[in-house]
């Protein structure tokens, strides 16, 4: 392997092939579930270096078909499904795109920007808002996650209701293929039917088909004003009623509809006592609505919507943030949930989506199944109700050790939850992706005909299974090497 | 081949395998460019019959590898690029989806509907509007074109500016694969990251990777009101200025921005004298703006936008339709352009898209190149400026026979136009697709790395090149059969 590492040093420079010292920042996943061991961390500075690294590695693998070497692309390493960290084999190269941070172009006429894959989402927000433009991508990890990671996982967030997932933000891609060629698909056109949509195929494929090195993103004119409201909602049927009413009366100006159950807010109060919950739920839920308008004076439709919802019984009470600072404070409560959960201790987490009509039934059936199986278990859910996306997390009964609970019960809990998701027509992965954490599940729940097509596509674009092996697809049966690569939990 | 036709009769019934009589409706393309010859027209009634037809055909082809048989899926047969009609070999089966017209489900809660591929777009409009829902897909052929065709070609239309192309309307697909299996991808979720996005791969692949048999489409609450305005615009820079102003002041409520050059409106006046052009252009262009709002009272923003644009010089004059009837009349002028062109006689047509910033330069350079090559040539362009999409058509000089002109000059004109499109960072196919008409061009203008990936994907999902051979990809080099299949012009 020294020959390969030497070649890589020749491409990216000695200082950017890391093999010694503490590589924990690249080897450990965001949630701290697992730590792998990398053969090396390679940090290219530009697209051509990425291509050269892939080509050199592919050539080495061809000469040493049993080496088991694979390339794991990594952006901000904020993924939640073990998709961007190496496994324990010690044969994975972590290819970090973080040095590639150029904003190549901001085009106000075309309402688009072209940026390197390693750009942090927050820096793009700063860059666009300075020009009166808006990238409405909003997700919890935006201060750390990168464009490449967001597109590779088709990340979602809080404004999918109006603006769609990462897939919908992307007008073009630059990708390094498994053979180390550069595909320049950065035209950034609104309409482009020149053959198969390779862009959409790469988006969400988690670096298993190619490595995203740059993207052209869709921008919007900055809204004149955004208002945030907080509603106290008795139950799921009411939450859905409020959503429907808000959609009809606010249309596209309804940009977020976030659901929080009472347990989630209890944890925020417990672990982040300095935050003020605008209205503590008298029933099952609180809802945060965001309304962004092109006219600074148009607050009335949101007020009217909330008033009508209260009259109709969909909401028990509601408050409207008075200014931007208060809007920020409302959002902070919503955003504090993941951290408050972490402080509470380990839990078994799921990121699922469901048809809205099946939401109530799913929640009832799943809670019943879990409580029957593990008496005293505590369920917490919150998420992006406008998109049918719930983060559905299961905590141990009081006084049970969280770590032991997760170790002993995770599989059983997953079985129960995913069985209900499937029975209700939902998806076991909504916005976090598959990675290696859900690869086995994916093969179980998706129809064989879909899995066969995915494997055929993988084999077509990455026949030697060089790129992020074992992620999304458990293993490529055509590659005998794969059996040697242990799968992460 | 009799054995195959017998098997197909056994599947769909004797009356639905057409081999005799006049098959012109299926063999002739919409524009009347070419008439192919079908082995048979097969009309399945349901998804299972489609699957059985494909399986039987695949089995026959396996036993007779030199037979040259392929399957050409067909919906409303309104395509403009020879994608849905058989070639002249007499070995193509036209698989018409037109009998599959069921609306399987309309889900007002989930804002979605699931429909058979053979449903006509207009019937879906009727079905949804009766329920206060909206399918904002709006395109010229909507009275004849089908869901399957619209998705297979990723059709666009007049509201892409706000709602995107067909790809953006589709939440799920049901597809029959090249091996005759049924993939049920109809979950219809807003967020679904369970592996590679097969849905997006099939959309826009023109039936070459699988046959779309049903789809789940995204719906919207019906807008409270839509207003239409017509502006007199001196030149392209002003048109782009008006577009930018309208986008910033109207936001998502700006649902269409249609450009018509003076020549296009001259043809409408000549061939459709009963239609009243609201404002005949004093300069180069007229623009039609559509504004759809959730509040019936909000006409003021559109008025303000037009007033500001006139003050700024982006528009010389503007009128607002006073009521729905007048709005309809404005649209009729825009929609009359294709027919008026047809009445004027043959022309060399292009459907291209460009970055907005390159639009003026593209128009100047292309007109100059054409006029230098063919003195007296008449250029007409119109289209969806909001999406950078122009229909750019070239008519013969006065008193030159149109048929001879197209026959003699089409290739040269295409060379000139596409060279400018490519030089300006545009796409040679914006919303009409590739079919067989542009397959050779696609291979010329797209980078080899992209073409190689497309061929690899085709081979992975349809290794025997059974589905719509010769469309999108000129031929699959791996299939010796293909050389026997002549390509349409």
């Amino acid at each position: 392997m020294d020959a390969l590492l030497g070649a890589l040093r020749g491409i990216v420079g000695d200082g950017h092939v890391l093999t010694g010292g503490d590589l924990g920042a690249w080897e450990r996943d965001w949630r701290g579930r697992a730590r792998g061991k990398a053969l090396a961390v390679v940090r290219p500075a530009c697209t051509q270096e990425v291509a050269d690294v892939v080509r050199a590695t592919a050539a080495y693998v061809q000469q040493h078909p049993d080496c088991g070497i694979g390339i794991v692309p990594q952006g901000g390493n904020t993924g939640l499904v073990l998709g961007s960290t190496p496994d324990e084999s010690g044969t994975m190269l972590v290819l970090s795109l973080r040095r590639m941070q150029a904003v190549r172009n901001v085009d106000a006429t075309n309402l688009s920007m072209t940026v390197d894959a390693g750009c942090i989402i927050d820096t793009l927000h700063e860059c666009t808002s300075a020009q009166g433009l808006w990238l409405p991508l909003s997700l919890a990890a935006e201060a750390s996650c990168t464009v490449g990671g967001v597109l590779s996982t088709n990340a979602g967030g809080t404004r999918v209701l109006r603006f769609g997932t990462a897939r919908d933000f992307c007008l073009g891609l630059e990708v390094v293929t498994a053979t180390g060629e550069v595909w320049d698909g950065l035209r950034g056109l609104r309409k482009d039917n020149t053959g198969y949509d390779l862009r959409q195929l790469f988006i969400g494929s988690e670096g298993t088909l190619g490595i995203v090195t740059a993207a052209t993103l869709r921008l919007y004119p900055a809204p004149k004003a955004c208002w945030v409201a907080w509603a106290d909602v008795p139950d799921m049927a009411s939450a859905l009623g409020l959503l429907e009413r808000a959609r009809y009366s606010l249309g596209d100006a309804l940009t977020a509809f976030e659901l929080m159950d009472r347990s989630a807010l209890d944890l925020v109060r417990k672990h982040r006592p300095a935050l003020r919950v605008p209205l503590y739920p008298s029933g099952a839920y609180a809802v945060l609505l965001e309304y962004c308008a092109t006219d600074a004076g148009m607050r009335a439709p949101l007020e009217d919507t909330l008033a009508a919802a209260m009259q109709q019984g969909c909401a028990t009470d509601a408050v409207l943030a008075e200014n931007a600072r208060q809007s920020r404070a409302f959002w902070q409560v919503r955003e504090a949930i993941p951290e408050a959960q972490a402080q509470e201790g380990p839990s078994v987490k799921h990121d699922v989506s469901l048809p809205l009509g099946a939401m109530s039934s799913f929640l009832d059936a799943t809670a019943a199944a879990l409580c029957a199986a593990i008496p005293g278990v505590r369920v917490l859910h919150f998420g992006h109700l406008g998109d049918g996306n719930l983060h559905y997390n299961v905590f141990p009964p009081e006084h049970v050790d969280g770590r032991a609970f997760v170790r002993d019960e995770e599989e059983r809990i997953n079985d129960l939850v995913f069985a209900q998701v499937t029975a209700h027509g939902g998806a076991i992965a909504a916005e976090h992706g598959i990675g290696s954490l859900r690869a086995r599940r994916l093969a179980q729940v998706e129809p064989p005909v879909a899995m066969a097509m995915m494997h055929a596509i993988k084999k077509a674009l990455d026949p030697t299974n060089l790129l992020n092996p074992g992620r999304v697809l458990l293993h490529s049966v055509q590659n005998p090497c794969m059996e040697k690569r242990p799968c992460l939990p």
Side-chain angles (χ1 to χ4, degrees), chain A:
Chain A
M1 309 229 178
D2 285 347
L4 173 60
L5 295 178
L8 300 181
R9 287 193 179 95
I11 295 164
V12 300
D14 285 353
H16 296 298
V17 176
L18 314 180
T19 51
D22 183 8
L23 301 180
W26 295 273
E27 290 176 338
R28 199 179 291 115
D29 83 296
W30 186 257
R31 282 171 61 195
R33 283 187 69 100
R35 176 166 182 168
K37 184 168 165 31
L39 172 60
V41 175
V42 185
R43 306 194 303 167
C46 63
T47 302
Q48 193 52 54
E49 287 188 9
V50 175
D52 292 344
V53 164
V54 172
R55 226 174 13 252
T57 310
Y60 184 88
V61 168
Q62 199 166 23
Q63 287 160 13
H64 306 83
D66 290 332
C67 68
I69 288 177
I71 295 174
V72 181
Q74 189 180 90
N77 195 19
T78 62
L80 302 173
V81 290
L82 301 176
S84 61
T85 45
D87 63 18
E88 292 158 343
S89 65
T91 61
M92 298 286 140
L93 291 169
V94 172
L95 184 84
S96 170
L97 283 294
R98 287 295 309 285
R99 286 178 68 210
M100 294 174 57
Q101 302 216 9
V103 173
R104 298 189 189 178
N105 160 272
V106 179
D107 184 341
T109 304
N110 203 50
L111 285 175
S112 63
M113 73 194 305
T114 298
V115 300
D116 277 0
C119 287
I120 303 287
I121 299 300
D122 255 359
T123 65
L124 302 186
H125 287 154
E126 288 159 25
C127 165
T128 49
S129 66
Q131 301 188 46
L133 297 167
W134 196 30
L135 175 70
L137 190 63
S138 166
L139 60 175
E142 63 194 29
S144 317
C145 67
T146 63
V147 169
V150 162
L151 289 173
S152 296
T153 59
N154 185 28
T158 59
R159 294 206 184 101
V160 173
L161 177 63
R162 160 62 190 95
F163 296 100
T165 62
R167 167 178 315 289
D168 300 291
F169 282 95
C170 181
L171 295 172
L173 281 185
E174 180 187 82
V175 172
V176 169
T177 69
T179 51
E181 288 173 287
V182 179
W183 171 56
D184 177 351
L186 290 172
R187 278 194 296 242
L189 300 165
R190 254 65 179 178
K191 281 182 178 168
D192 189 344
N193 277 348
T194 48
Y196 304 154
D197 197 333
L198 301 170
R199 168 191 57 138
Q200 291 292 355
L201 184 59
F202 286 117
I203 297 173
S205 66
E206 303 186 18
T208 63
L209 302 178
I211 300 170
V212 173
T213 50
T216 301
L217 303 177
R218 181 193 297 265
L219 301 177
Y220 294 80
K224 297 286 194 309
C226 287
W227 291 279
V228 175
W230 185 283
D232 177 13
V233 172
D235 51 31
M236 178 54 75
S238 303
L240 291 170
L242 175 58
L243 173 62
E244 186 166 334
R245 172 167 286 280
R247 271 183 160 160
Y248 277 77
S249 56
L250 305 178
D252 290 329
L254 179 69
T255 48
F257 192 99
E258 296 287 305
L259 182 89
M260 297 154 273
D261 77 352
R262 194 205 282 241
S263 312
L265 293 171
D266 282 342
L267 287 193
V268 171
R269 294 221 290 194
K270 179 173 169 190
H271 297 288
R272 298 286 302 278
L275 293 179
R276 205 181 72 76
V277 176
L279 283 175
Y280 184 76
S282 62
Y285 295 109
V287 163
L288 182 155
L289 300 91
E290 184 187 68
Y291 169 77
C292 292
T294 47
D295 180 335
M298 297 200 311
R299 180 175 140 156
L302 181 57
E303 290 169 336
D304 296 348
T305 300
L306 293 170
M310 284 168 62
Q311 208 163 17
Q312 209 184 13
C314 290
T316 315
D317 198 359
V319 286
L320 206 61
E322 286 301 324
N323 50 44
R325 198 186 46 74
Q326 210 172 65
S327 291
R328 199 62 234 122
F330 285 18
W331 268 117
Q332 275 171 352
V333 175
R334 161 65 184 84
E335 287 162 2
I337 296 173
E339 196 189 311
Q341 285 185 110
Q343 286 178 270
E344 179 71 7
S347 65
V348 180
K349 295 183 165 60
H350 311 91
D351 161 48
V352 302
S353 64
L354 292 142
L356 291 179
M359 197 60 85
S360 292
S361 166
F362 164 79
L363 288 171
D364 293 346
T366 311
L370 286 169
C371 290
I374 310 172
V377 82
R378 294 172 297 158
V379 170
L380 175 157
H381 59 275
F382 66 102
H384 320 293
L385 187 65
D387 324 316
N389 179 194
L390 290 183
H391 301 306
Y392 190 94
N393 301 333
V394 184
F395 282 84
E398 298 280 359
H399 312 303
V400 170
D401 176 64
R403 206 173 283 264
F405 172 77
V406 171
R407 184 193 62 217
D408 299 339
E409 302 288 6
E410 181 164 31
E411 277 301 295
R412 187 154 69 122
I413 292 171
N414 287 345
D415 286 343
L416 287 170
V417 173
F418 291 143
Q420 292 298 335
V421 169
T422 304
H424 286 87
I428 66 158
E431 59 172 8
H432 294 169
I434 298 296
S436 54
L437 186 67
R438 299 286 185 233
R440 193 171 52 78
R441 289 279 166 187
L442 183 74
Q444 286 168 357
V445 302
E446 286 300 300
V449 59
M451 294 309 297
M453 287 191 281
M454 291 186 213
H455 277 284
I457 291 164
K458 170 72 172 173
K459 198 182 165 201
L461 297 188
D462 181 20
T464 65
N465 200 13
L466 181 70
L467 301 179
N468 224 359
R471 319 308 159 98
V472 185
L473 302 179
L474 199 54
H475 59 87
S476 185
V477 285
Q478 289 80 12
N479 187 340
C481 260
M482 281 316 297
E483 299 304 320
K484 297 185 183 159
R485 292 179 178 141
C487 221
L488 283 171

